[in-house]
Amino acid sequence: MPAVPALSYSSFRTYQECPLRWRFLYVDKLPETPRGYFTFGRVVHSVLEQLVAPLVVPTARRVSENDRQRTLDEWHAHSGTATPPRWMTSEEMLAAYEREWSSEGYTSSEEESRYRALGREILLRYYDFLVRERPLPVAVEEHLEARWDGIPVHGYIDRIDRTPAGGLEIVDYKTSRELSSDDARDSDQLSLYQVLVESNYAEPVQGLTLYHLRSLTPLRVAPRERAALAGLHDRLGTALDGIRAEAFEPTPGRHCTRCDFRDRCPEFRSVPEADGQRLRVLVDRFEALRNEENRLEGELRRTAEELHRAAEELGVHRVPGTRSVAVRRREEAWQYSLDNVRPLLERTGLSHRVTSGTPEEIRRLVRDASVDPEVRRRVAETGARRVKWYWDLEQENGP
Ligand code: SF4
């Protein structure tokens, strides 16, 4: 096993999804089948890089972890690019697109033509947007590395812009069909990029943006708080520990449908022909029993509900049958919905007190006299009593 490589976002995500697939990709280095939508994304990214690169004005950068900051003046003195290259015209951009185009991975010529036309349309619309907006990029397609509290990480960042306030905004282009603000809010990729930029640049990160190219929509969110980054750091650390320990268990799920290594994966190993018939009979029997179980579960629930309604109407709790007595029992539980007060807990530094959300944990917080009474009141108000009825059976002559 070679030294553990630095984790990129996609390597981390692959390990989280399925460690065995990670091993196939990053240790055995098995190639994957090209897919049209990946080729498409790569070509569009490459043209955008060529388009935006002439607008780049590098910002001050750290030379190394322990070094002082490099200043912009020093950069200009040594860059030899006092006159920036001319920005390409839209015709030159389309010519670059045609040069970059690759047919790799498309399932038919119709699919390829559809994507090709879509790319042209996206780029032309984005070109108009750039002419209007004139962003201030300080880097495009930049490869950054860092050691994040002991964890080696790296990534290629589509674009880093200067904000009007003098800070930095990280931009990640997306060519996917759908994208929502939740994607930007929850994106581990943007969190990791924030860490990479903060480790390599002098200016603060002031914004994180997923740029939805199909609709020209920037989905912009504030940089992550330390607490949110700590969660990602923990998960990266767990992945790294697993890689170091060579823990490469197959973890099947919906992602298996797009895995190219099913023929090597023990999860998908075929049953030997000699055992096929015997096991087929067992599987068919299992399926029939599972269907019967579902049917009975539904019937049991409906009968209990009917009994419950009748018992409510009559005000009784014990209903005799022929051989046994059905007894209605009551169970109470308190439940808390903390979503509304979680920001308050975070602001007051109390989020560590509510990790599991169990009623006992919350009651401890509510009873703690050292906690601000207003916080305790608001947490207590989220509680509600839930009553659950269920039926037991007792034999006629006793339980
Ligand atoms: S088929 Fe599924 S379980 Fe097997 S390696 Fe691929 S992703 Fe993992």
Side-chain angles (χ1 to χ4, degrees), residues 40 44 93-94 97-98 114-128 213-216:
F40 173 70
V44 170
M93 176 190 71
L94 287 183
Y97 179 60
E98 294 306 324
R114 247 196 345 269
Y115 270 103
R116 201 166 188 152
L118 175 67
R120 232 177 267 126
E121 190 192 317
I122 285 176
L123 288 170
L124 281 173
R125 289 171 57 212
Y126 192 68
Y127 187 91
D128 290 343
L213 286 167
R214 295 192 191 212
S215 63
L216 289 190

Side-chain angles (χ1 to χ4, degrees), residues 62-308:
R62 268 182 200 155
V63 178
S64 75
E65 191 69 5
N66 303 319
D67 211 343
R68 67 185 179 79
Q69 306 299 335
R70 221 188 276 186
T71 66
L72 196 56
D73 286 346
E74 283 170 337
W75 183 86
H76 271 308
H78 297 100
S79 67
T81 57
T83 316
R86 188 179 60 83
W87 195 19
M88 59 169 72
T89 63
S90 57
E91 290 75 25
E92 286 167 336
M93 176 190 71
L94 287 183
Y97 179 60
E98 294 306 324
R99 270 197 312 277
E100 292 286 330
W101 187 257
S102 161
S103 304
E104 205 175 61
Y106 294 101
T107 51
S108 65
S109 52
E110 287 75 31
E111 186 191 44
E112 184 183 343
S113 316
R114 247 196 345 269
Y115 270 103
R116 201 166 188 152
L118 175 67
R120 232 177 267 126
E121 190 192 317
I122 285 176
L123 288 170
L124 281 173
R125 289 171 57 212
Y126 192 68
Y127 187 91
D128 290 343
F129 166 81
L130 274 186
V131 169
R132 264 198 327 274
E133 300 293 319
R134 288 283 174 145
L136 297 170
V138 295
V140 283
E141 283 293 329
E142 186 168 39
H143 183 235
L144 294 178
E145 294 173 292
R147 266 197 101 75
W148 183 18
D149 292 340
I151 300 179
V153 287
H154 79 115
Y156 286 88
I157 302 190
D158 287 344
R159 210 172 88 203
I160 303 169
D161 282 358
R162 191 187 300 283
T163 63
L168 299 171
E169 176 168 344
I170 295 167
V171 181
D172 190 60
Y173 301 125
K174 293 289 177 205
T175 50
S176 52
R177 206 179 293 273
E178 304 286 342
L179 207 61
S180 73
S181 318
D182 286 353
D183 293 318
R185 206 194 53 218
D186 302 334
S187 165
D188 280 341
Q189 188 177 18
L190 287 179
S191 303
L192 186 60
Y193 287 178
Q194 176 180 331
V195 171
L196 285 166
V197 171
E198 282 175 347
S199 307
N200 284 275
Y201 278 78
E203 295 94 333
V205 173
Q206 293 178 328
L208 305 173
T209 296
L210 286 185
Y211 200 98
H212 188 235
L213 286 167
R214 295 192 191 212
S215 63
L216 289 190
T217 308
L219 300 164
R220 189 169 287 125
V221 291
R224 314 291 195 230
E225 302 281 340
R226 292 297 118 193
L229 292 179
L232 174 61
H233 185 269
D234 287 348
R235 284 179 287 127
L236 281 163
T238 306
L240 198 68
D241 288 346
I243 292 167
R244 280 204 187 105
E246 301 188 22
F248 297 132
E249 288 302 310
T251 309
R254 284 170 57 189
H255 47 268
C256 294
T257 52
R258 54 190 159 75
C259 177
D260 285 334
F261 312 121
R262 283 197 283 185
D263 54 341
R264 295 168 184 262
C265 175
E267 286 292 329
F268 287 85
R269 191 168 291 147
S270 314
V271 172
E273 214 170 306
D275 299 290
Q277 183 54 28
R278 182 173 60 89
L279 293 181
R280 192 169 301 115
V281 171
L282 271 182
V283 171
D284 292 349
R285 175 96 186 111
F286 180 78
E287 185 191 6
L289 287 170
R290 175 57 60 81
N291 290 341
E292 182 64 2
E293 183 187 25
N294 290 341
R295 190 188 66 72
L296 283 173
E297 260 178 22
E299 206 172 312
L300 188 66
R301 196 184 58 248
R302 283 190 295 278
T303 307
E305 284 167 1
E306 203 175 319
L307 256 179
H308 179 72

